Amino acid sequence: MDQLERAARRVAAAGTVTVLTGAGISTDSGIPDFRGPNGVWTKNPAAERMFTLQAYLTDPELRRRSWQDRADHAAWTAQPNAGHRALVELERSGRMGALVTQNIDGLHQAAGSSPERVIEVHGTLHAAQCLSCGARSPMRVVLARVAAGEPDPPCELCGGLLKSATISFGQALDPRVWRTAVRAAQTCDLLLVAGSSLQVHPVASLCDVAVGAGARLLIMNAEATPYDGLADVVVREPLAEALPALVELVVA
Ligand SMILES: [Zn+2]
């Protein structure tokens, strides 16, 4: 029996599956990952600085560049791929409890995953948030202000700095969102990791949480992860093919 078949049997036998996705599921939609061979930070290590909260707060030039990058982000034109659609099918089969994602691109919801099951632990690019008063607004509204000539648009309520509603390095996760993710890891029979290199904490520690609570761990990622040794099954194949193949075996 190959790894994919073993993985499918585990998923089919599980009552509740929690899925954890990372950048690897969106690369086939044209959104570059961070640490892969063609990753944003692999090719340009200085770009990592753009994602620290301290730099964002103190460097107006970096904020202006960040707004341009948001306006040019691949997510605005990206379409969900076969991997995203496979998880919609897994949900429809009644097995998926929650879909925890590190991605900020909104492609799971665009594919048809129920928004109430998608837990965006690193936030979303589709909203902007004021760093002073916390007010949120749709990102497209703020990007329209950028396009109209405000290179670093302030909060219209309090004048504070605006940022995408995503988690930067040095910024804490939203505690309510994080608790929901931990609960989803604690209460599942199987944690299916799809396209995460499991190098970012605390999200990667959801593997420890799930296994500690008695769940099986299944990892599908193009490259090795620090958690492969803890996994029941590891599938190291291109996700856009392996994930649909897995779900087809499960729902067949
Ligand atoms: Zn404000």
Side-chain angles (χ1 to χ4, degrees):
M1 197 176 0
D2 70 7
Q3 290 300 88
L4 201 64
E5 277 177 49
R6 283 186 61 201
R9 289 197 180 192
R10 298 287 190 266
V11 174
T16 304
V17 177
T18 288
V19 179
L20 168 61
T21 65
I25 197 170
S26 288
T27 49
D28 280 301
S29 293
I31 297 178
D33 62 9
F34 297 102
R35 294 182 175 79
N38 293 308
V40 176
W41 297 332
T42 312
K43 292 201 288 193
N44 178 14
E48 194 164 350
R49 200 179 105 78
M50 304 227 350
F51 292 87
T52 70
L53 183 62
Q54 195 53 30
Y56 192 85
L57 290 171
T58 54
D59 185 345
E61 176 51 34
L62 185 145
R63 287 199 297 278
R64 287 193 281 273
R65 226 166 341 118
S66 297
W67 283 111
Q68 284 310 318
D69 283 357
R70 286 171 197 139
D72 297 340
H73 200 283
W76 305 121
T77 50
Q79 298 295 322
N81 64 59
H84 297 104
R85 288 193 294 273
L87 292 180
V88 176
E89 215 171 308
L90 186 66
E91 180 185 338
R92 289 190 183 142
S93 80
R95 288 177 180 82
M96 195 174 76
L99 205 181
V100 182
T101 184
Q102 297 172 273
N103 299 340
I104 59 168
D105 53 38
L107 288 179
H108 286 303
Q109 296 92 323
S113 289
S114 303
E116 66 271 18
R117 286 185 200 268
V118 179
I119 304 169
E120 296 174 305
V121 279
H122 288 164
T124 176
L125 185 65
H126 294 264
Q129 189 157 25
C130 174
L131 293 171
S132 298
C133 74
R136 281 167 81 104
S137 42
M139 178 58 85
R140 55 184 170 73
V141 172
V142 183
L143 288 180
R145 291 173 61 193
V146 176
E150 289 183 80
D152 181 17
C155 173
E156 285 180 317
L157 295 177
C158 78
L161 296 178
L162 291 183
K163 191 175 86 61
S164 56
T166 54
I167 306 295
S168 301
F169 285 115
Q171 191 175 11
L173 303 191
D174 180 319
R176 200 175 39 86
V177 174
W178 177 241
R179 276 197 300 275
T180 313
V182 169
R183 207 173 313 124
Q186 278 169 338
T187 55
C188 66
D189 301 308
L190 182 138
L191 179 65
L192 164 57
V193 176
S196 172
S197 56
L198 296 174
Q199 292 182 38
V200 176
H201 285 272
V203 176
S205 69
L206 290 174
C207 295
D208 297 306
V209 171
V211 171
R216 291 182 188 273
L217 177 63
L218 160 56
I219 297 179
M220 304 178 78
N221 194 52
E223 285 116 37
T225 84
Y227 285 87
D228 288 359
L230 198 64
D232 197 46
V233 186
V234 176
V235 177
R236 207 170 292 162
E237 290 170 40
L239 208 56
E241 291 151 37
L243 200 49
L246 172 87
V247 172
E248 204 178 312
L249 286 171
V250 170
V251 300

